[in-house]
Each structure stands twice: as structure tokens, then as C-alpha cells.
Amino acid sequence: MEWKLILQIVGVVLGLLYLWLEYRADIRLWIVGLIMPIVHGVLYYRAGLYADCSMQAYYILAGLYGWLVWRNAPRAKKKTALRISHISWRILPALIGAYGVIHIAIYFVLTRFTDSSVPFWDSLTTALCIVAYWMLSRKYVEQWLVWLVVDVITVGLYLYKDIPLTAGLYALYSLLAILGYMRWNRQIRVETTH
């Protein structure tokens, strides 16, 4: 069996397992979240998607952090002060500016130091992922829209790079981004009426 196919199959299985564990809020999602980026990192490196490959190191660090936080969290349920909200129009220009700087920096690295055949798209999706993770940490509903853009572009990029099973996983992520956006908007309405 070809290496791309093997890595894609393993990556898709891990991705689906991760989503299922995340849905159930099961701490084991972090273990899968440590293994999955290694598989995807190898796949992306071999496919020449260097920014996507390097982003996997971030996912590993975030997975370690998440696992430690969940493992060390008090057992009693506490309400968090951070609620789901909409992004403020005041910080939107700074966020767009940060995205632009990150995109340009990654693009520069890819064009100067790698043989990437898709430096614009690879740097675009990676920069948007960084922005989306920041938005997620602040529980902004609009982070789902950023993920939707990332996922749709990634589907095309991965089809172009001949990793169709992984493209299929991102097509599923696209659907989940739409559902997540709708769910978080409903949650805001519920929280504001109570």
C-alpha cells in the first residue's frame, strides 16, 4: 500500500475518533490529539505542505496543555466566567492585521526556504488556523466561520496534493463548523434569556 494512503487512512480514523471523544468531552481526546498531529505532520511533509506540517507541532503542544489542564482540573463542576460571545468590532481590525502579518511571514518562509508548490494557500490556511485558535480561546462564535473557510480551502488544497481521504475529513470538518456556528449562536440566545 502507498504511504500516502496509509497515512491518510490512519489520519482519518484518528480524526473521527478525536471528534467522537471531543463530542463526549472525554479526556482521552488529548491522547488522540497527540498522536494525530504526528501522522498528519509526516503526511503533510511528504506532500510538500510545509506550513501545515509545522502547524502540527503547535497541535502537539496544545494537546499536551489541554491534557494537563483537564487532568488537573478540580472534579467539582464550576461555571466559567468566559462565555460564548460575538467578536467585538473594535478588535476585528487588529485581528485581520495579525492574520495578514502571519500570512506574509509564513509565505516568505515557504517561498525562500522550501520547495512548496502551494506557498500562498499553505500559508493562508496556517495563518487562519492560528487566528481561529486564538478566537476559540476567547469563545468567539465567529471562530467557526474562520474554521469553515480553512476547511473548505483545505479540501481543495488536499485534493490538489493528492491526499483525498484527508480532504474528505476536512469536508466533514466543514459541516461540523457550520453546525458548531449554529449551536454556539443558540447557546448565546439561551444564556442571554436566563
Side-chain angles (χ1 to χ4, degrees):
M1 201 180 297
E2 185 184 336
W3 66 267
K4 274 186 184 179
L5 182 58
I6 294 169
L7 290 171
Q8 288 180 87
I9 291 169
V10 172
V12 167
V13 168
L14 289 171
L16 293 173
L17 178 59
Y18 180 89
L19 288 173
W20 182 72
L21 292 170
E22 183 179 19
Y23 176 78
R24 299 188 68 225
D26 187 318
I27 193 169
R28 292 175 293 182
L29 76 94
W30 298 112
I31 296 166
V32 176
L34 293 172
I35 299 166
M36 189 170 53
I38 295 168
V39 172
H40 283 145
V42 173
L43 175 65
Y44 300 152
Y45 181 80
R46 301 273 313 258
L49 295 164
Y50 303 115
D52 278 355
C53 176
S54 63
M55 190 69 181
Q56 302 311 301
Y58 172 78
Y59 292 145
I60 290 170
L61 294 174
L64 285 170
Y65 174 77
W67 179 74
L68 288 171
V69 169
W70 282 36
R71 189 176 135 267
N72 295 323
R75 298 294 179 230
K77 293 186 179 190
K78 293 182 181 178
K79 231 179 183 183
T80 178
L82 185 62
R83 291 181 170 222
I84 297 170
S85 64
H86 290 286
I87 195 163
S88 165
W89 286 100
R90 291 180 296 139
I91 64 172
L92 201 54
L95 194 57
I96 292 169
Y99 155 77
V101 169
I102 295 166
H103 186 173
I104 290 167
I106 295 170
Y107 179 80
F108 175 80
V109 169
L110 291 177
T111 56
R112 297 285 191 239
F113 302 107
T114 74
D115 63 351
S116 176
S117 61
V118 288
F120 176 82
W121 298 107
D122 197 8
S123 58
L124 179 138
T125 57
T126 302
L128 286 175
C129 282
I130 292 168
V131 168
Y133 266 107
W134 181 84
M135 293 173 72
L136 174 60
S137 74
R138 303 292 189 257
K139 288 193 173 179
Y140 291 134
V141 171
E142 293 79 11
Q143 60 97 13
W144 289 109
L145 299 176
V146 178
W147 284 122
L148 180 59
V149 170
V150 168
D151 296 337
V152 168
I153 292 170
T154 299
V155 168
L157 182 60
Y158 290 0
L159 287 173
Y160 175 76
K161 285 304 217 170
D162 195 31
I163 47 178
L165 295 179
T166 307
L169 180 63
Y170 277 82
L172 177 60
Y173 287 167
S174 299
L175 174 63
L176 293 173
I178 293 167
L179 296 174
Y181 179 75
M182 292 175 2
R183 182 171 188 257
W184 279 32
N185 271 307
R186 280 193 307 272
Q187 187 63 34
I188 286 176
R189 286 191 295 274
V190 167
E191 287 177 0
T192 56
T193 59
H194 290 359

